[in-house]
Amino acid sequence: MEYANLLLEKNGAVAVLTINRPKALNALNSDTVTELSTALDELGRDSSVKAVILTGSGEKAFIAGADISQMKDFNCMQARRFAQLGHSVFRKIELMPQPVIAAINGFALGGGCELAMACDIRIAAENAKFGQPEVTLGLTAGFGGTQRLPRLVGAGLASELLFTGDIIDVNEAYRIGLVNKIYPLDTLMEEAMKLAKKISSRAPVAVQLTKSAIQRGVNMDIDSAQAYEAEIFGLTFSTQDQIEGCSAFLEKRKPAFEGK
Ligand code: HXC
């Protein structure tokens, strides 16, 4: 499918989804968020895709936030609906079968930081900058930032970032656990692809079930989460890949997973 504000490319089992509004530093307007929703549905249904990389177009920004020029004239109802649209679309990333890696190539502000936080793994370029500057605009974070940031970095650090609107560099983002790795900008996509290909080489059903255990379990109490993990662990023993993976280990050879 063709998108006006996104690029969707495939490289073997890896899909690369690029937010493509570089003149506006990839700011998220409602059309772009709606297209993102369609693209995520398309990818979620595509069993040939084993991992997804999400990035921004150009060398300056991942996403500089929700589109301020569109939001400026919102009334309360439109603003609430826009937040709810973002909530449902970003949640799709967490609930879709494939792992999603955010490759953060510059500013990840407001809705951009929130989108990165909805991804399973975040890696970033040396020029990346992060923040939730909504309070400098008279807004609150509205695409999940008040919820995902405290879950990722703890309530104290999240409160400081959300109350001040301060923008932090990539080293600070790494220090507080917002990103896993830092790379030079010109190797970021190569490194994202290496990681995505490594994940794609693992038993696909096991990877999908692991994602589900993490994403669903993190919001459960520990006893329910462990019960869910045991269910999932049991399920892997109905797959060919479990037989192949364990046999390959014992036979001292590489497994050939088929994703079933
Ligand atoms: C609309 C944006 C934009 C945004 C940048 N642009 N960010 N347009 N919405 N979020 C546009 C600029 O208007 C400008 O357009 C072009 O992109 C280049 O940006 P500059 O500001 O000229 O670049 P620079 O001076 O390098 O500054 C980069 C920047 C700055 C620091 C990232 O652009 C900035 O502060 N952007 C806003 C960041 C922000 O506050 N984000 C949070 C938004 S609220 P022209 O036409 O002039 O070239 C949010 C809420 C989420 O995300 C929840 C919603 C429910």
Side-chain angles (χ1 to χ4, degrees):
M1 187 163 162
E2 287 290 304
Y3 297 98
N5 302 312
L6 303 177
L7 301 172
L8 180 50
E9 295 150 302
K10 282 205 212 152
N11 178 339
V14 179
V16 180
L17 190 51
T18 306
I19 308 291
N20 188 31
R21 299 186 70 216
K23 284 191 184 138
L25 303 187
N26 304 317
L28 297 172
N29 57 13
S30 48
D31 285 350
T32 307
V33 180
T34 303
E35 283 195 355
L36 181 60
S37 180
T38 309
L40 293 170
D41 288 342
E42 186 184 335
L43 291 171
R45 282 193 303 266
D46 186 343
S47 60
S48 72
V49 173
K50 306 285 191 261
V52 177
I53 298 170
L54 181 64
T55 192
S57 196
E59 301 202 333
K60 194 166 165 185
F62 172 69
I63 296 161
D67 192 319
I68 299 167
S69 55
Q70 181 183 27
M71 287 191 300
K72 185 175 83 59
D73 299 318
F74 276 169
N75 61 32
C76 295
M77 178 69 85
Q78 289 168 320
R80 192 177 306 127
R81 292 230 166 102
F82 188 49
Q84 287 164 342
L85 173 69
H87 290 156
S88 70
V89 177
F90 290 16
R91 187 78 177 127
K92 278 186 189 185
I93 294 174
E94 293 175 333
L95 297 181
M96 70 194 281
Q98 303 94 336
V100 181
I101 299 164
I104 302 157
N105 54 319
F107 289 108
L109 303 178
C113 188
E114 291 170 306
L115 183 54
M117 289 192 288
C119 295
D120 298 288
I121 294 172
R122 283 158 294 286
I123 62 173
E126 287 165 348
N127 67 331
K129 292 200 168 19
F130 299 78
Q132 296 290 156
E134 285 86 348
V135 290
T136 69
L137 299 165
L139 320 172
T140 63
F143 281 163
T146 62
Q147 303 311 308
R148 289 195 180 90
L149 192 55
R151 282 167 168 80
L152 273 172
V153 306
L157 283 166
S159 300
E160 186 177 336
L161 287 168
L162 285 156
F163 295 164
T164 62
D166 280 353
I167 292 178
I168 57 171
D169 68 15
V170 75
N171 296 314
E172 178 67 356
Y174 176 76
R175 192 187 70 79
I176 65 176
L178 200 49
V179 299
N180 293 12
K181 299 245 167 55
I182 306 172
Y183 297 106
L185 179 60
D186 59 359
T187 62
L188 177 69
M189 288 310 290
E190 198 182 306
E191 295 293 345
M193 191 55 75
K194 263 194 230 163
L195 178 58
K197 292 215 156 151
K198 183 190 276 190
I199 293 169
S200 310
S201 75
R202 306 309 190 209
V205 179
V207 172
Q208 285 179 21
L209 290 172
T210 301
K211 170 164 175 167
S212 175
I214 294 167
Q215 291 293 353
R216 295 202 181 270
V218 82
N219 294 313
M220 292 178 188
D221 67 88
I222 187 72
D223 293 319
S224 310
Q226 290 198 142
Y228 186 56
E229 185 190 64
E231 276 303 307
I232 274 178
F233 183 70
L235 261 182
T236 59
F237 284 75
S238 66
T239 64
Q240 286 297 318
D241 284 349
Q242 175 271 322
I243 297 169
E244 170 62 11
C246 295
S247 306
F249 173 78
L250 295 171
E251 292 160 17
K252 302 189 189 305
R253 61 175 173 83
K254 275 197 158 189
F257 293 123
E258 289 182 25
K260 49 189 190 188

